[in-house]
Amino acid sequence: MHDLGLRDRKKRRTREAITEAAFALFQRSGFDSVAVADVAAAAEVSKPTLFAYFPTKEDLVLRRFLDDDPGPAHVVRGRPSGMSALRALRQDFLDRLAQRDPLTGLNDTPPATTFHSLLYSTPTLMTRLTSYLLERERDLAEALLTSGGVSDAFTARIVAAEVFGAQRILAEHNAQDIRAGHSADDTYPAAVTRTETAYDLLENGLDTRAAS
Amino acid sequence: MHDLGLRDRKKRRTREAITEAAFALFQRSGFDSVAVADVAAAAEVSKPTLFAYFPTKEDLVLRRFLDDDPGPAHVVRGRPSGMSALRALRQDFLDRLAQRDPLTGLNDTPPATTFHSLLYSTPTLMTRLTSYLLERERDLAEALLTSGGVSDAFTARIVAAEVFGAQRILAEHNAQDIRAGHSADDTYPAAVTRTETAYDLLENGLDTRAAS
DNA sequence: TAGTATGGTTAACCAGGTTAAGATTTTCCT
DNA sequence: AGGAAAATCTTAACCTGGTTAACCATACTA
């Protein structure tokens, strides 16, 4: 009758203990200054157990926010008929801004802020995040192709790369505003404007000027 | 009178010995199966010396091809007056295709082919390459801003991200064709077409279709 | 030719990550 | 309820990428 057995409940608790210990330590001393052995000790777990839950040190930080993100491929596949893929992605990003999704950068509450400050101050975290995004970019390309958003595989890959490029810059810009001290509510209008600008550029063309 | 002293000549020889040893070993056994200690031994150099020349194991492979690449920022700054930044970048990529620049993926001669097969079969190499590209993307954004290609910093970052996104997909596609057994000369026309397509999408807009 | 900087070597170390063996605990079946 | 089977955890040792310190050798410079 129980949804989760005792075993799975324990696993969930251990996992949470590890991420909590990790975030606490990383926030205090910085990502690089904390050894995974310290995290394991703080979570009262052995080192191999920690690595059974999280494949790398970086995942201690990233998985917490990436795990429950369905990703843009899901958005494209689930878009209402009659809507273009690019429109659906734009709308999805705007929705996530409104919801203060940490992955848009526009979130000023503690777990997300430490996430971002760790992220943008630790190259290896940025790097690992980028790997994840590249995976999802491939998923998006496939979704574009199979759900009829685009004519051929090459165009699908290009479009997917452009969308991820834009979202990356948008998120970075938002997070930067938050880290500069602005509240999420105050930045929201500007964030929306930037999103519209970015997607307008994608839809209508970049149009750079001539040299002086 | 001598351009390089004996000391510098020795340094150049040591550096070359290291990269050559690295490429030979990596090509035979794969990047991950070879320890840097093996490379050092094969190059008849100690491990700390190796790391004095190359900051990481990945750089043993990447620096060889990245070192002499001026990067897109240079292209934008040096473009003829009257030409848009995007046009200059498109033309530069086409020029590099014609020259069979390994960084375009369109090169089927031994040092470049092993470079690509290592790259696309070794996630950590891809990852490190991406870090390099992100640096240059920032440079490009700055060049776009200061050389008047674009109106504001935000747009500059977006455009830079889009350009790098496109070039990454183009290079990957070309390298894939080469690895599939096609010669560079045979693939060249298709590579040109893809380049034009990609830059047309950037200039004129992506225009994805509605859902079915 | 003497002194100094530079680049090299050895040896030891650190941190991330893995592996094998054995102990412990939940589950599940009868 | 009892006990075999399966899953999880621990310990201890190991591997590899990368760094540090102390010391040696060689090229440059006065």
Side-chain angles (χ1 to χ4, degrees):
Chain A
M1 277 310 131
H2 38 37
D3 293 354
L4 277 81
L6 171 56
R7 202 165 244 167
D8 293 293
R9 240 178 306 143
K10 272 194 175 178
K11 274 174 77 173
R12 233 172 47 86
R13 257 189 294 145
T14 318
R15 193 188 179 80
E16 274 165 21
I18 294 173
T19 46
E20 262 176 48
F23 265 72
L25 291 179
F26 290 156
Q27 182 170 20
R28 233 187 352 110
S29 320
F31 185 78
D32 294 317
S33 309
V34 177
V36 301
D38 300 342
V39 177
E44 292 182 316
V45 165
S46 75
K47 204 169 49 147
T49 297
L50 187 153
F51 280 111
Y53 281 90
F54 299 92
T56 72
K57 187 186 183 185
E58 287 76 30
D59 287 81
L60 290 172
V61 174
L62 296 177
R63 294 279 300 263
R64 177 164 182 185
F65 289 91
L66 258 48
D67 274 351
D68 51 351
D69 173 39
H74 179 260
V75 172
V76 164
R77 275 193 253 265
R79 91 198 108 127
S81 66
M83 182 180 269
S84 87
L86 223 46
R87 282 284 156 175
L89 289 164
R90 179 203 291 245
Q91 192 53 53
D92 169 66
F93 198 88
L94 288 170
D95 291 347
R96 282 157 59 214
L97 280 181
Q99 299 166 227
R100 306 293 190 268
D101 180 345
L103 294 183
T104 63
L106 195 71
N107 188 308
D108 55 9
T109 61
T113 51
T114 60
F115 175 65
H116 287 122
S117 70
L118 282 174
L119 200 53
Y120 292 106
S121 68
T122 315
T124 118
L125 278 175
M126 248 344 243
T127 286
R128 178 81 168 137
L129 174 60
T130 304
S131 304
Y132 275 118
L133 296 181
L134 283 179
E135 276 179 42
R136 300 198 174 176
E137 184 187 308
R138 288 188 164 268
D139 294 345
L140 174 57
E142 169 126 12
L144 283 169
L145 193 62
T146 61
S147 85
V150 100
S151 55
D152 62 317
F154 173 68
T155 309
R157 303 246 20 216
I158 293 281
V159 172
E162 306 309 341
V163 168
F164 266 88
Q167 292 205 4
R168 173 169 52 83
I169 302 297
L170 287 170
E172 188 176 330
H173 214 112
N174 293 337
Q176 201 176 314
D177 279 6
I178 299 292
R179 284 174 70 209
H182 303 294
S183 79
D185 291 351
D186 286 353
T187 331
Y188 178 69
V192 169
T193 305
R194 284 193 295 257
T195 306
E196 303 280 17
T197 304
Y199 275 96
D200 285 348
L201 285 170
L202 287 190
E203 285 187 27
N204 306 326
L206 296 183
D207 157 47
T208 60
R209 305 216 193 89
S212 52
Chain B
M1 277 306 135
H2 36 41
D3 292 353
L4 277 83
L6 171 56
R7 203 166 244 166
D8 293 294
R9 242 178 305 144
K10 273 194 174 178
K11 274 174 77 173
R12 232 172 46 86
R13 258 190 294 146
T14 323
R15 192 188 181 80
E16 274 165 22
I18 295 173
T19 46
E20 263 176 48
F23 266 73
L25 291 179
F26 291 156
Q27 183 170 20
R28 239 193 341 115
S29 320
F31 185 78
D32 294 318
S33 308
V34 177
V36 301
D38 300 340
V39 176
E44 292 181 316
V45 163
S46 73
K47 202 169 53 147
T49 296
L50 187 152
F51 280 111
Y53 281 89
F54 299 92
T56 71
K57 186 186 185 186
E58 287 76 30
D59 286 81
L60 290 172
V61 175
L62 297 178
R63 293 277 302 262
R64 177 164 182 184
F65 290 91
L66 258 48
D67 273 352
D68 52 352
D69 172 39
H74 179 258
V75 171
V76 164
R77 276 193 254 265
R79 91 198 106 127
S81 67
M83 182 179 269
S84 87
L86 223 46
R87 282 284 155 177
L89 290 164
R90 178 202 294 243
Q91 192 53 52
D92 168 67
F93 197 87
L94 289 170
D95 291 347
R96 284 158 57 212
L97 279 181
Q99 300 166 225
R100 305 290 188 269
D101 179 346
L103 294 183
T104 64
L106 195 71
N107 188 309
D108 55 9
T109 61
T113 50
T114 60
F115 175 65
H116 287 122
S117 69
L118 282 174
L119 200 53
Y120 292 106
S121 68
T122 316
T124 119
L125 279 176
M126 248 343 244
T127 285
R128 177 83 167 137
L129 173 60
T130 304
S131 302
Y132 274 119
L133 297 182
L134 282 181
E135 276 180 42
R136 300 198 173 175
E137 183 188 307
R138 288 187 163 267
D139 294 345
L140 174 57
E142 170 126 12
L144 284 170
L145 195 61
T146 62
S147 86
V150 100
S151 54
D152 62 315
F154 173 67
T155 309
R157 304 244 23 214
I158 293 282
V159 171
E162 306 308 342
V163 168
F164 266 89
Q167 292 206 5
R168 173 168 52 84
I169 302 298
L170 287 170
E172 186 176 331
H173 214 112
N174 292 336
Q176 199 178 315
D177 278 7
I178 299 292
R179 286 175 67 208
H182 304 294
S183 79
D185 291 351
D186 286 353
T187 329
Y188 177 69
V192 169
T193 305
R194 283 194 295 257
T195 305
E196 303 282 15
T197 304
Y199 275 96
D200 284 349
L201 285 171
L202 286 191
E203 286 187 25
N204 307 325
L206 298 183
D207 159 46
T208 60
R209 305 215 195 89
S212 52

